[in-house]
Amino acid sequence: MSIAWQHFTPWASLAGGMLIGLAAALLILFNGRIAGISGILGGLLRPRQGDLGWRIAFLAGLIVTPLLYPLWQALPSVQIDAGMPALIAAGLLVGVGVRYGAGCTSGHGVCGLSRLSPRSLAATIAFMAAGFLTVYLLRHL
């Protein structure tokens, strides 16, 4: 195994993690909501009174921010080593996992673990283990 040291960015990664944590903390503090993307998006399908604006703003931020990023930094090159059928299957499997796990990686992994939720710990262990196993099977067998 070799490490591509030119791509090792601990300070940028730390700053990004802190921004994610701050955003999740502010959302729960000021809105009483968990920053789980699947729940935020799912709430748009059957919106409640007064619940639409913050959901749209949150999702708009997720879409607009990458579009603004090139104003400060060059976009990194992206190479996806999978075909369209594999990407579609992966997306469907993630969707099924989100439904069975009652939440997504951001809801369980960021917000749930920070609240010391045993259910989120079990979900995070399950999706991390599934990811590790999938990579091992596809790359090494």
Side-chain angles (χ1 to χ4, degrees):
M1 180 171 88
S2 65
I3 297 175
W5 289 105
Q6 70 273 19
H7 299 294
F8 182 61
T9 58
W11 298 115
S13 301
L14 177 64
M18 290 173 66
L19 284 172
I20 290 170
L22 178 64
L26 290 174
L27 185 63
I28 200 163
L29 180 65
F30 291 117
N31 209 6
R33 302 296 185 152
I34 299 295
I37 308 307
S38 62
I40 292 171
L41 182 61
L44 287 176
L45 300 177
R46 286 183 259 141
R48 293 188 208 136
Q49 183 71 14
D51 206 30
L52 196 60
W54 73 268
R55 290 178 189 275
I56 291 173
F58 194 97
L59 293 171
L62 291 177
I63 294 167
V64 170
T65 302
L67 299 175
L68 296 177
Y69 183 81
L71 298 176
W72 290 274
Q73 184 93 16
L75 287 174
S77 62
V78 177
Q79 178 180 343
I80 299 174
D81 296 329
M84 191 56 72
L87 292 175
I88 291 170
L92 291 172
L93 287 171
V94 167
V96 168
V98 164
R99 294 297 294 165
Y100 278 121
C104 59
T105 56
S106 54
H108 284 302
V110 175
C111 300
L113 291 181
S114 67
R115 294 181 308 123
L116 304 176
S117 166
R119 183 177 77 148
S120 290
L121 177 61
T124 303
I125 289 170
F127 61 69
M128 291 299 291
F132 296 154
L133 179 64
T134 301
V135 169
Y136 180 78
L137 292 174
L138 292 176
R139 301 279 182 192
H140 302 290
L141 295 181

